[in-house]
Amino acid sequence: MKEKLFNNLSLKILSVLCAIVLWAIIVNIYDPTTGVTISNVNVELINTGSLTANNYTYEVVEGSKISVYISGPKSVITDIKSSDIIATADLSKISAFASYVDIQVKVVKDGREIDNIEVTPRTTAVKLEIENRVTKEFDIKPIEVGSVNDGYIVTELNCYPNTLRVTGPSSLVESINSVGAQCDLNGLYADYNSTANIVLLDADGNEIENDALVLSRTEVEYKVKVSLKKTVKVKCLGTIGEVRQGYVFKGLELSLEEVTILGEAQAVNQVQEIVIPASEININGCSANKIFTINLSNFVDSAISFQGGSIVEVTALVTAENSKDISINVKDIQFNNVQNGYKVSVQDRTELYISVVSDYNSLASITSQDIVASVDMTLLTEGVHTVNVSFALPEGYRVSGFYRIKVLVEKEESETTTTETTVS
């Protein structure tokens, strides 16, 4: 066996070498041309500053990834990958008012461009959407996220800074309806400072997120003031002075019997009720009702504020000695000149007590049926109002003092709404 292997060894080695040389010659002489399509080739945009420098912005609509057809010697084509293909679109060559820019491709292998092949992009141009680049300033409005602890209320919430500049395509910038800062208030029971993320919102309240928009900042600081809320009674200790001779003092009527106070827990918890001193109600020499305007903040700690206002009106009811008290049902009060489509309701009482006097007629004979109570609602708009009540009485009688009620003006429900409510 060994002898056979080494027999004519030199001739065998020469045969192998000849075969190798012959194969190399054949390969080099006969290297067939072939073609291949390579997909997912990224197109690089160059000279983008030619647009952005002139306050234009762009977005690639089509052509960010393309397929490229390559033909050439099989020995060359076989080794080409998508990473070897360089595709570019030169934005400096885009023509005025055009939306397409040509794509140039080449193959670079090991730092050297291969030139003995044919490279053809299947997509010949990048399609762009070009718009004016604009900058617009918006106010930043706090958006409450979560709720403070039960019994507490947010009395102040501010962002710093409170403006934002947004730069980007004009269509995108114009789609921004408002800018908000998402302020986390969940579980708060004291003043708090933190940072909040900025959100851009369209007209429907949907968030706008687009990398083409450049914001002058992405977050802001916010400060929130949280106060304890408590409802307390209001009372008056009495009056000072004496009414005019021939008249009597019938009592006091307060426009508010309770108020809501706000502040730090330590200060608020010390207030059980708010008391108006008698010295604030001087009825000396009065011959008719008299209204006293009292600021309740004068009788509590300066750290306490009021929800809905701190002003209360105290009416001292004064009538003639020879008077008769008559009760008027508020449902019988006529509201004149109410705007079309609106209705009026009395908010502070169900009965209105008035004093009627007469110089010569019998007071025993007059009743509420003889009295017409009315209110002129001219020019009064939607909301709560305090109005004067007028009275029409039989000859020889008159009302002692003046009287006011609190009314709510609101829109009437449409017939459609009323029908639906009845059916349900």
Side-chain angles (χ1 to χ4, degrees):
M1 182 69 182
K2 189 174 182 182
E3 291 178 357
K4 289 182 179 181
L5 181 62
F6 289 98
N7 189 27
N8 297 321
L9 179 60
S10 58
L11 184 60
K12 292 177 180 178
I13 294 173
L14 180 60
S15 298
V16 172
L17 291 175
C18 289
I20 294 173
V21 171
L22 182 61
W23 174 82
I25 291 172
I26 293 173
V27 169
N28 283 278
I29 292 176
Y30 186 68
D31 189 359
T33 298
T34 187
V36 65
T37 298
I38 299 179
S39 304
N40 293 321
V41 176
N42 291 318
V43 178
E44 179 187 2
L45 303 181
I46 61 175
N47 294 322
T48 57
S50 61
L51 288 179
T52 57
N54 292 306
N55 284 328
Y56 288 102
T57 183
Y58 62 88
E59 181 180 355
V60 177
V61 179
E62 295 176 6
S64 61
K65 286 182 179 293
I66 63 172
S67 296
V68 176
Y69 178 77
I70 303 174
S71 64
K74 183 178 181 180
S75 60
V76 176
I77 299 300
T78 303
D79 293 334
I80 296 176
K81 306 180 183 65
S82 61
S83 58
D84 299 324
I85 303 174
I86 298 177
T88 58
D90 190 348
L91 299 194
S92 66
K93 295 182 179 180
I94 193 168
S95 58
F97 308 109
S99 57
Y100 289 89
V101 59
D102 292 337
I103 298 174
Q104 304 296 325
V105 292
K106 59 183 179 180
V107 176
V108 177
K109 191 77 172 173
D110 299 326
R112 182 179 62 85
E113 182 178 353
I114 301 176
D115 54 10
N116 62 335
I117 59 175
E118 183 180 344
V119 185
T120 306
R122 295 295 193 188
T123 303
T124 59
V126 174
K127 184 179 180 181
L128 302 175
E129 186 175 290
I130 301 174
E131 295 186 64
N132 288 329
R133 183 179 175 87
V134 299
T135 298
K136 189 174 180 180
E137 188 169 273
F138 296 88
D139 291 331
I140 302 174
K141 300 177 181 178
I143 298 174
E144 296 187 6
V145 178
S147 303
V148 297
N149 263 8
D150 290 342
Y152 289 81
I153 188 173
V154 175
T155 54
E156 190 175 332
L157 178 58
N158 295 305
C159 296
Y160 307 93
N162 58 2
T163 59
L164 175 74
R165 291 189 309 278
V166 181
T167 301
S170 57
S171 60
L172 271 177
V173 174
E174 292 303 322
S175 70
I176 301 172
N177 181 67
S178 62
V179 174
Q182 296 176 319
C183 305
D184 184 9
L185 309 181
N186 196 43
L188 294 183
Y189 56 88
D191 297 351
Y192 182 69
N193 301 342
S194 189
T195 57
N197 293 326
I198 290 176
V199 292
L200 311 179
L201 304 173
D202 63 18
D204 297 323
N206 299 315
E207 186 174 350
I208 300 172
E209 294 182 293
N210 196 301
D211 292 339
L213 294 173
V214 179
L215 312 185
S216 60
R217 56 182 56 87
T218 58
E219 63 180 21
V220 293
E221 293 183 3
Y222 69 92
K223 296 181 180 179
V224 56
K225 184 177 180 60
V226 178
S227 300
L228 180 63
K229 181 173 68 172
K230 183 179 180 181
T231 300
V232 296
K233 298 289 185 181
V234 179
K235 73 176 185 180
C236 190
L237 288 182
T239 64
I240 60 172
E242 298 291 337
V243 298
R244 183 180 297 182
Q245 188 175 357
Y247 292 84
V248 293
F249 169 64
K250 291 292 188 72
L252 297 174
E253 189 175 86
L254 279 68
S255 62
L256 296 173
E257 294 186 351
E258 60 182 23
V259 292
T260 300
I261 60 174
L262 309 168
E264 294 183 358
Q266 183 177 1
V268 170
N269 286 330
Q270 290 180 352
V271 181
Q272 304 306 318
E273 62 181 3
I274 299 178
V275 179
I276 302 172
S279 58
E280 298 289 324
I281 314 297
N282 188 348
I283 61 173
N284 196 48
C286 288
S287 58
N289 293 352
K290 184 175 181 179
I291 296 176
F292 299 86
T293 301
I294 307 297
N295 190 343
L296 298 179
S297 62
N298 294 330
F299 312 115
V300 294
D301 190 286
S302 59
I304 290 177
S305 59
F306 290 77
Q307 185 179 27
S310 61
I311 301 300
V312 61
E313 291 185 344
V314 180
T315 303
L317 304 174
V318 178
T319 61
E321 288 181 343
N322 59 333
S323 63
K324 178 181 179 181
D325 291 338
I326 297 179
S327 173
I328 305 292
N329 192 314
V330 296
K331 293 181 179 179
D332 297 328
I333 299 176
Q334 299 177 4
F335 295 99
N336 302 323
N337 302 315
V338 179
Q339 295 186 51
N340 289 335
Y342 288 84
K343 63 180 180 179
V344 181
S345 58
V346 180
Q347 297 294 293
D348 58 346
R349 67 192 75 207
T350 57
E351 300 286 335
L352 177 63
Y353 293 91
I354 64 173
S355 293
V356 177
V357 296
S358 176
D359 296 328
Y360 52 86
N361 291 332
S362 170
L363 289 172
S365 62
I366 189 170
T367 67
S368 62
Q369 302 299 317
D370 303 313
I371 303 171
V372 176
S374 63
V375 175
D376 184 7
M377 301 295 294
T378 302
L379 301 180
L380 291 182
T381 57
E382 191 172 2
V384 177
H385 306 274
T386 299
V387 295
N388 295 318
V389 183
S390 299
F391 303 93
L393 292 84
E395 185 177 354
Y397 296 93
R398 67 182 186 276
V399 172
S400 175
F402 59 90
Y403 299 87
R404 301 199 294 182
I405 57 176
K406 185 178 292 185
V407 298
L408 171 65
V409 181
E410 58 185 338
K411 290 183 178 179
E412 292 182 326
E413 294 183 357
S414 64
E415 292 184 1
T416 302
T417 304
T418 303
T419 302
E420 291 175 352
T421 303
T422 303
V423 172
S424 63

